[in-house]
Amino acid sequence: MTDHGRGSIEYGYVVSGDVELTVDDQVFLLQTGDAIQFAAGHSHAYRSLKRASTLLTVVAYTDD
């Protein structure tokens, strides 16, 4: 599990495949074309499901 610090925002986009994202205790199942945004200061992890997946993530940090 990773966090990127208070105030950071993470954006994820599934280019191909199926991805499971866990943020704290919540689980999100993402498929090709799905996008998500969440506060990246929370503990989180991505996991590819059943086959190879391509996931694009971007983290935006505050000036703090």
Side-chain angles (χ1 to χ4, degrees):
M1 296 275 200
T2 306
D3 81 59
H4 298 287
R6 199 172 107 207
S8 59
I9 303 294
E10 185 155 339
Y11 303 87
Y13 176 75
V14 182
V15 176
S16 65
D18 302 300
V19 175
E20 178 184 88
L21 167 62
T22 302
V23 180
D24 291 332
D25 293 330
Q26 288 189 291
V27 177
F28 302 91
L29 300 177
L30 307 172
Q31 298 176 324
T32 300
D34 287 345
I36 195 161
Q37 168 190 327
F38 59 93
H42 293 272
S43 181
H44 59 281
Y46 293 97
R47 182 171 70 99
S48 181
L49 300 174
K50 296 186 184 177
R51 58 185 173 141
S53 300
T54 302
L55 173 72
L56 173 65
T57 63
V58 175
V59 179
Y61 294 93
T62 64
D63 290 338
D64 296 345

